[in-house]
């Protein structure tokens, strides 16, 4: 879908700070993050909303979001938790009409910072942040391999 910014990111005709990409999913930093590390996970095939999303693909989307949230705890972001959220449709404040999962790292006691970030939504050092999350993914993989 040529008018969809996320489809253009997948096609490589629009830029994004990528965290992960495989044959099915892509994860990249939100351009207007609520917190440092706010990442979007998208299916590489266009689905406007959950009505159009294959449930098995939705399960893969959430499974990677789960993995990403765990990796953020192991990264230099030092997240204590995460919000995982899908805004489905205009009524739910979906602004990019391509299904996407928000993974927003949180820290204990960050309520005021989170609220401020929700209003201001200013980017952080994108490359440093992406590298930190990728390191968290590597640490998680090493943990799993050791078990």
């Amino acid at each position: 879908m040529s008018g969809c910014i996320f489809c253009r990111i997948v096609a490589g005709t629009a830029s994004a700070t990528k965290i992960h990409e495989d044959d099915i999913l892509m994860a990249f930093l939100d351009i207007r993050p609520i917190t440092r590390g706010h990442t979007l996970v998208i299916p590489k095939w266009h689905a406007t909303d959950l009505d159009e999303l294959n449930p098995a693909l939705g399960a893969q989307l959430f499974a990677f979001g789960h993995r990403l949230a765990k990796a953020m705890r192991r990264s230099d972001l030092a997240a204590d938790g995460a919000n995982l959220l899908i805004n489905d449709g205009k009524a739910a404040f979906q602004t990019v009409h391509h299904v996407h999962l928000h993974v927003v790292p949180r820290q204990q006691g960050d309520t005021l910072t989170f609220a401020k970030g929700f209003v201001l939504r200013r980017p952080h050092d994108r490359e440093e942040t992406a590298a930190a999350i990728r390191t968290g993914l590597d640490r998680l993989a090493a943990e799993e391999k050791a078990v």
Side-chain angles (χ1 to χ4, degrees), residues 26-88:
M26 183 181 286
F28 50 89
L29 293 178
D30 192 306
I31 62 167
R32 294 182 56 238
I34 297 170
T35 65
R36 180 174 180 237
H38 179 172
T39 301
L40 305 177
V41 183
I42 67 167
K44 291 177 97 172
W45 293 273
H46 186 85
T48 300
D49 54 30
L50 292 178
D51 278 350
E52 294 182 8
L53 185 68
N54 175 293
L57 182 53
Q60 288 178 290
L61 182 79
F62 189 83
F64 186 75
H66 175 209
R67 182 171 190 74
L68 192 57
K70 290 173 63 175
M72 289 174 176
R73 290 173 183 248
R74 289 151 177 83
S75 77
D76 293 341
L77 298 180
D80 297 317
N83 290 109
L84 280 72
L85 169 73
I86 292 178
N87 297 326
D88 181 42

Coordinates of all heavy atoms in Angstrom, one line a residue, residues 26-88:
M26 N 8.8 -6.5 11.6 CA 9.8 -5.5 11.7 C 9.5 -4.7 12.9 O 8.4 -4.4 13.3 CB 9.8 -4.6 10.5 CG 10.9 -3.5 10.5 SD 10.8 -2.4 9.0 CE 11.4 -3.5 7.8
A27 N 10.6 -4.3 13.6 CA 10.5 -3.5 14.8 C 11.4 -2.3 14.6 O 12.6 -2.4 14.2 CB 10.9 -4.3 16.1
F28 N 10.9 -1.1 15.0 CA 11.7 0.1 14.8 C 11.2 1.1 15.9 O 10.1 1.0 16.4 CB 11.6 0.7 13.4 CG 10.2 0.8 12.9 CD1 9.5 2.0 13.1 CD2 9.6 -0.2 12.2 CE1 8.2 2.1 12.6 CE2 8.3 -0.1 11.7 CZ 7.6 1.1 11.9
L29 N 12.1 2.1 16.1 CA 11.8 3.1 17.1 C 10.7 4.0 16.6 O 10.6 4.4 15.5 CB 13.0 4.0 17.5 CG 14.2 3.2 18.2 CD1 15.3 4.2 18.4 CD2 13.7 2.6 19.5
D30 N 9.8 4.4 17.6 CA 8.7 5.3 17.3 C 9.4 6.7 17.0 O 10.3 7.1 17.8 CB 7.7 5.4 18.4 CG 6.5 6.1 18.1 OD1 6.5 7.3 17.7 OD2 5.4 5.6 18.4
I31 N 8.9 7.4 16.0 CA 9.5 8.8 15.8 C 9.0 9.8 16.8 O 9.7 10.9 16.9 CB 9.2 9.3 14.4 CG1 7.8 9.5 14.1 CG2 9.9 8.4 13.4 CD1 7.5 10.3 12.8
R32 N 8.0 9.5 17.5 CA 7.5 10.4 18.6 C 7.3 9.6 19.9 O 6.2 9.3 20.3 CB 6.2 11.0 18.2 CG 6.3 12.0 17.0 CD 5.0 12.7 16.6 NE 4.4 13.4 17.7 CZ 3.2 13.2 18.2 NH1 2.4 12.3 17.7 NH2 2.8 13.9 19.2
P33 N 8.5 9.2 20.5 CA 8.4 8.3 21.6 C 7.8 8.9 22.9 O 8.0 10.0 23.2 CB 9.8 7.9 21.8 CG 10.6 9.1 21.4 CD 9.8 9.6 20.2
I34 N 7.1 8.0 23.6 CA 6.6 8.4 24.9 C 7.7 8.3 26.0 O 7.9 9.2 26.8 CB 5.4 7.6 25.3 CG1 4.2 7.8 24.4 CG2 5.0 7.8 26.8 CD1 3.1 6.8 24.5
T35 N 8.5 7.3 25.8 CA 9.7 7.1 26.7 C 10.9 6.7 25.8 O 10.7 6.2 24.6 CB 9.5 6.0 27.7 OG1 9.3 4.7 27.1 CG2 8.3 6.2 28.6
R36 N 12.1 6.8 26.3 CA 13.2 6.3 25.6 C 13.1 4.8 25.3 O 12.9 4.0 26.3 CB 14.5 6.6 26.3 CG 15.8 6.1 25.6 CD 17.0 6.6 26.3 NE 18.2 6.1 25.5 CZ 19.1 5.3 26.0 NH1 19.1 4.9 27.3 NH2 20.1 5.0 25.2
G37 N 13.2 4.4 24.1 CA 13.1 3.0 23.7 C 11.7 2.6 23.2 O 11.5 1.5 22.8
H38 N 10.8 3.5 23.2 CA 9.4 3.2 22.6 C 9.6 2.7 21.2 O 10.0 3.4 20.3 CB 8.6 4.5 22.6 CG 7.2 4.5 22.1 ND1 6.4 5.5 22.3 CD2 6.5 3.5 21.5 CE1 5.2 5.2 21.7 NE2 5.3 4.0 21.2
T39 N 9.1 1.4 21.0 CA 9.3 0.7 19.8 C 8.0 0.3 19.2 O 7.1 -0.1 20.0 CB 10.3 -0.5 20.0 OG1 11.5 0.0 20.6 CG2 10.5 -1.3 18.8
L40 N 7.9 0.2 17.9 CA 6.8 -0.3 17.2 C 7.1 -1.6 16.6 O 8.2 -1.7 16.0 CB 6.3 0.7 16.1 CG 6.0 2.1 16.6 CD1 5.6 3.0 15.4 CD2 4.9 2.1 17.6
V41 N 6.2 -2.6 16.7 CA 6.4 -3.9 16.0 C 5.2 -4.0 15.0 O 4.1 -3.8 15.4 CB 6.3 -5.0 17.0 CG1 6.6 -6.4 16.3 CG2 7.3 -4.8 18.1
I42 N 5.6 -4.3 13.7 CA 4.6 -4.3 12.7 C 4.7 -5.6 11.9 O 5.8 -6.2 11.7 CB 4.7 -3.1 11.7 CG1 6.0 -3.2 10.9 CG2 4.5 -1.8 12.5 CD1 6.0 -2.2 9.7
P43 N 3.6 -6.1 11.4 CA 3.7 -7.2 10.4 C 4.1 -6.6 9.1 O 3.8 -5.4 8.8 CB 2.2 -7.7 10.3 CG 1.4 -6.5 10.7 CD 2.2 -5.7 11.7
K44 N 4.9 -7.3 8.3 CA 5.4 -6.8 7.0 C 4.3 -6.7 6.0 O 4.5 -6.0 5.0 CB 6.6 -7.5 6.6 CG 7.8 -7.3 7.5 CD 9.0 -8.1 7.1 CE 9.9 -7.3 6.3 NZ 11.2 -8.0 6.0
W45 N 3.2 -7.4 6.2 CA 2.1 -7.4 5.3 C 1.1 -6.4 5.8 O 0.7 -6.4 7.0 CB 1.5 -8.8 5.1 CG 2.4 -9.7 4.4 CD1 2.5 -9.9 3.1 CD2 3.4 -10.6 5.0 NE1 3.5 -10.8 2.8 CE2 4.0 -11.2 4.0 CE3 3.7 -10.8 6.3 CZ2 5.1 -12.1 4.2 CZ3 4.7 -11.8 6.6 CH2 5.4 -12.4 5.5
H46 N 0.6 -5.6 5.0 CA -0.4 -4.5 5.4 C -1.7 -5.1 5.9 O -2.3 -6.0 5.2 CB -0.7 -3.6 4.2 CG -1.5 -2.4 4.7 ND1 -1.0 -1.3 5.3 CD2 -2.9 -2.2 4.7 CE1 -1.9 -0.5 5.6 NE2 -3.1 -1.0 5.3
A47 N -2.1 -4.7 7.1 CA -3.4 -4.9 7.6 C -3.8 -3.6 8.3 O -3.1 -3.2 9.2 CB -3.4 -6.1 8.6
T48 N -4.9 -3.0 7.9 CA -5.3 -1.7 8.4 C -5.6 -1.8 9.9 O -5.2 -0.9 10.7 CB -6.5 -1.2 7.6 OG1 -6.1 -1.1 6.2 CG2 -6.9 0.2 8.1
D49 N -6.3 -2.8 10.3 CA -6.8 -3.0 11.7 C -6.9 -4.4 12.0 O -6.5 -5.3 11.2 CB -8.1 -2.2 11.9 CG -9.2 -2.7 10.9 OD1 -9.2 -3.9 10.5 OD2 -10.1 -1.9 10.6
L50 N -7.3 -4.7 13.2 CA -7.3 -6.1 13.7 C -8.3 -7.0 12.9 O -8.1 -8.2 12.8 CB -7.6 -6.2 15.2 CG -6.5 -5.7 16.1 CD1 -7.0 -5.7 17.6 CD2 -5.2 -6.4 15.9
D51 N -9.3 -6.4 12.3 CA -10.3 -7.1 11.5 C -9.5 -7.7 10.3 O -9.9 -8.8 9.8 CB -11.4 -6.3 11.0 CG -12.5 -6.1 12.0 OD1 -12.5 -6.8 13.0 OD2 -13.4 -5.3 11.7
E52 N -8.5 -7.1 9.8 CA -7.8 -7.5 8.6 C -6.6 -8.4 8.9 O -5.9 -8.9 8.0 CB -7.3 -6.3 7.8 CG -8.4 -5.5 7.1 CD -7.9 -4.4 6.3 OE1 -6.7 -4.2 6.0 OE2 -8.8 -3.6 5.9
L53 N -6.2 -8.4 10.2 CA -5.0 -9.2 10.6 C -5.3 -10.6 10.9 O -6.2 -11.0 11.6 CB -4.4 -8.5 11.9 CG -3.1 -9.1 12.4 CD1 -2.0 -8.7 11.4 CD2 -2.7 -8.5 13.7
N54 N -4.5 -11.5 10.2 CA -4.6 -12.9 10.5 C -4.3 -13.2 11.9 O -3.3 -12.7 12.4 CB -3.6 -13.6 9.5 CG -3.5 -15.1 9.8 OD1 -3.1 -15.5 10.8 ND2 -4.0 -15.9 8.8
P55 N -5.1 -13.9 12.7 CA -4.9 -14.2 14.1 C -3.5 -14.8 14.4 O -2.9 -14.5 15.4 CB -6.0 -15.1 14.5 CG -7.1 -14.8 13.5 CD -6.4 -14.5 12.2
A56 N -3.0 -15.7 13.5 CA -1.7 -16.3 13.8 C -0.6 -15.3 13.6 O 0.3 -15.3 14.4 CB -1.5 -17.4 12.8
L57 N -0.8 -14.3 12.7 CA 0.2 -13.3 12.6 C 0.1 -12.3 13.8 O 1.1 -11.9 14.3 CB 0.0 -12.5 11.3 CG 0.9 -11.4 10.9 CD1 2.4 -11.8 11.0 CD2 0.6 -10.8 9.5
G58 N -1.1 -12.1 14.3 CA -1.2 -11.3 15.5 C -0.5 -11.9 16.7 O 0.1 -11.2 17.5
A59 N -0.6 -13.3 16.8 CA 0.1 -14.0 17.8 C 1.6 -13.8 17.7 O 2.3 -13.6 18.7 CB -0.3 -15.4 17.8
Q60 N 2.1 -13.9 16.5 CA 3.5 -13.7 16.3 C 3.9 -12.2 16.6 O 5.0 -12.0 17.2 CB 3.9 -14.0 14.8 CG 3.9 -15.4 14.5 CD 4.2 -15.7 13.1 OE1 3.4 -15.4 12.2 NE2 5.3 -16.3 12.8
L61 N 3.1 -11.3 16.3 CA 3.3 -9.9 16.6 C 3.5 -9.7 18.1 O 4.4 -9.1 18.6 CB 2.2 -9.0 16.0 CG 2.3 -7.5 16.2 CD1 3.2 -6.9 15.1 CD2 0.9 -6.9 16.0
F62 N 2.5 -10.2 18.8 CA 2.5 -10.1 20.3 C 3.7 -10.9 20.9 O 4.4 -10.4 21.8 CB 1.2 -10.5 20.9 CG 1.2 -10.1 22.4 CD1 0.8 -8.9 22.8 CD2 1.5 -11.0 23.3 CE1 0.8 -8.5 24.1 CE2 1.5 -10.7 24.7 CZ 1.2 -9.4 25.1
A63 N 4.0 -12.0 20.4 CA 5.1 -12.9 20.9 C 6.4 -12.1 20.8 O 7.2 -12.1 21.7 CB 5.2 -14.2 20.2
F64 N 6.6 -11.4 19.6 CA 7.9 -10.6 19.5 C 7.8 -9.4 20.4 O 8.8 -9.1 21.0 CB 8.2 -10.2 18.1 CG 9.5 -9.6 18.0 CD1 10.7 -10.3 18.1 CD2 9.7 -8.2 18.0 CE1 11.9 -9.8 18.1 CE2 10.9 -7.6 18.0 CZ 12.0 -8.4 18.1
G65 N 6.7 -8.8 20.6 CA 6.5 -7.7 21.5 C 6.9 -8.1 22.9 O 7.6 -7.4 23.7
H66 N 6.5 -9.3 23.3 CA 6.8 -9.9 24.6 C 8.3 -10.0 24.8 O 8.9 -9.6 25.8 CB 6.0 -11.2 24.7 CG 6.3 -12.0 26.0 ND1 6.3 -13.3 26.0 CD2 6.7 -11.6 27.2 CE1 6.6 -13.8 27.2 NE2 6.8 -12.8 28.0
R67 N 8.9 -10.6 23.7 CA 10.3 -10.8 23.7 C 11.1 -9.4 23.8 O 12.1 -9.3 24.6 CB 10.8 -11.5 22.5 CG 12.2 -11.8 22.4 CD 12.5 -12.8 21.2 NE 13.9 -13.2 21.3 CZ 14.3 -14.1 22.1 NH1 13.5 -14.7 23.0 NH2 15.6 -14.4 22.1
L68 N 10.6 -8.5 23.1 CA 11.2 -7.1 23.1 C 11.1 -6.5 24.5 O 12.1 -5.9 25.0 CB 10.5 -6.3 22.1 CG 11.1 -4.9 21.7 CD1 12.6 -5.1 21.2 CD2 10.3 -4.3 20.6
A69 N 10.0 -6.6 25.1 CA 9.8 -6.1 26.5 C 10.8 -6.8 27.5 O 11.4 -6.1 28.3 CB 8.3 -6.3 27.0
K70 N 11.0 -8.1 27.3 CA 11.9 -8.8 28.2 C 13.4 -8.3 27.9 O 14.2 -8.1 28.8 CB 11.9 -10.3 28.0 CG 10.6 -10.9 28.5 CD 10.5 -12.4 28.1 CE 11.5 -13.2 28.7 NZ 11.3 -14.7 28.4
A71 N 13.7 -8.0 26.6 CA 15.0 -7.6 26.2 C 15.2 -6.2 26.8 O 16.4 -5.8 27.2 CB 15.1 -7.6 24.7
M72 N 14.2 -5.3 26.8 CA 14.4 -4.0 27.4 C 14.7 -4.0 28.9 O 15.5 -3.1 29.3 CB 13.1 -3.2 27.2 CG 12.9 -2.8 25.7 SD 11.3 -2.0 25.4 CE 11.4 -1.6 23.7
R73 N 14.3 -5.0 29.6 CA 14.7 -5.2 31.0 C 16.2 -5.5 31.1 O 16.8 -5.2 32.1 CB 13.9 -6.3 31.7 CG 12.4 -5.9 31.9 CD 11.6 -7.1 32.4 NE 10.2 -6.8 32.5 CZ 9.6 -6.8 33.7 NH1 10.3 -7.0 34.8 NH2 8.3 -6.5 33.8
R74 N 16.7 -6.2 30.1 CA 18.1 -6.6 30.1 C 19.0 -5.6 29.4 O 20.2 -5.8 29.4 CB 18.2 -8.0 29.4 CG 17.6 -9.1 30.3 CD 17.1 -10.2 29.4 NE 16.5 -11.3 30.3 CZ 15.3 -11.3 30.8 NH1 14.5 -10.3 30.6 NH2 14.9 -12.4 31.5
S75 N 18.5 -4.6 28.9 CA 19.2 -3.6 28.1 C 19.7 -2.5 29.0 O 19.4 -2.5 30.2 CB 18.4 -3.0 27.0 OG 17.5 -2.1 27.5
D76 N 20.5 -1.6 28.5 CA 21.0 -0.5 29.3 C 19.9 0.6 29.5 O 20.1 1.5 30.2 CB 22.2 0.2 28.5 CG 23.4 -0.7 28.5 OD1 23.5 -1.6 29.4 OD2 24.3 -0.5 27.7
L77 N 18.7 0.3 28.9 CA 17.5 1.2 29.3 C 17.1 0.9 30.7 O 16.4 1.7 31.3 CB 16.4 0.9 28.3 CG 16.6 1.2 26.8 CD1 15.3 0.8 26.1 CD2 17.0 2.6 26.6
A78 N 17.4 -0.3 31.2 CA 17.1 -0.7 32.6 C 15.6 -0.6 32.9 O 15.2 -0.1 33.9 CB 17.9 0.1 33.6
A79 N 14.8 -1.0 31.9 CA 13.3 -1.0 32.1 C 12.9 -1.9 33.3 O 13.5 -3.0 33.4 CB 12.6 -1.4 30.8
D80 N 12.0 -1.5 34.0 CA 11.4 -2.3 35.1 C 10.1 -3.0 34.6 O 9.6 -4.0 35.3 CB 11.1 -1.5 36.3 CG 12.3 -0.9 37.0 OD1 13.3 -1.5 37.1 OD2 12.2 0.3 37.3
G81 N 9.6 -2.6 33.5 CA 8.4 -3.1 32.9 C 8.1 -2.5 31.6 O 9.0 -1.8 31.1
A82 N 7.0 -2.8 31.0 CA 6.6 -2.2 29.7 C 5.1 -2.2 29.5 O 4.4 -3.0 30.1 CB 7.3 -3.0 28.6
N83 N 4.7 -1.2 28.7 CA 3.3 -1.2 28.3 C 3.3 -1.8 26.9 O 4.1 -1.3 26.0 CB 2.7 0.2 28.2 CG 2.5 0.8 29.6 OD1 3.3 1.7 30.0 ND2 1.5 0.3 30.3
L84 N 2.5 -2.7 26.6 CA 2.3 -3.3 25.2 C 0.9 -2.9 24.8 O -0.1 -3.2 25.6 CB 2.5 -4.8 25.2 CG 3.9 -5.3 25.1 CD1 4.6 -5.1 26.5 CD2 4.0 -6.7 24.7
L85 N 0.7 -2.2 23.7 CA -0.5 -1.6 23.4 C -0.8 -1.6 21.9 O 0.1 -1.3 21.1 CB -0.5 -0.2 23.9 CG -1.6 0.8 23.5 CD1 -2.9 0.4 24.2 CD2 -1.2 2.2 23.8
I86 N -2.0 -1.9 21.4 CA -2.4 -1.7 20.1 C -3.6 -0.8 20.1 O -4.6 -1.0 20.8 CB -2.8 -3.1 19.4 CG1 -1.6 -3.9 19.2 CG2 -3.5 -2.8 18.1 CD1 -1.9 -5.3 18.6
N87 N -3.5 0.3 19.3 CA -4.7 1.2 19.1 C -5.4 0.6 17.8 O -4.8 0.7 16.8 CB -4.2 2.6 18.9 CG -3.5 3.2 20.2 OD1 -3.9 2.8 21.3 ND2 -2.6 4.0 20.0
D88 N -6.6 0.1 18.0 CA -7.3 -0.5 16.8 C -8.4 0.4 16.3 O -9.5 0.4 16.9 CB -7.8 -1.9 17.3 CG -8.5 -2.6 16.2 OD1 -8.0 -2.6 15.0 OD2 -9.5 -3.2 16.4

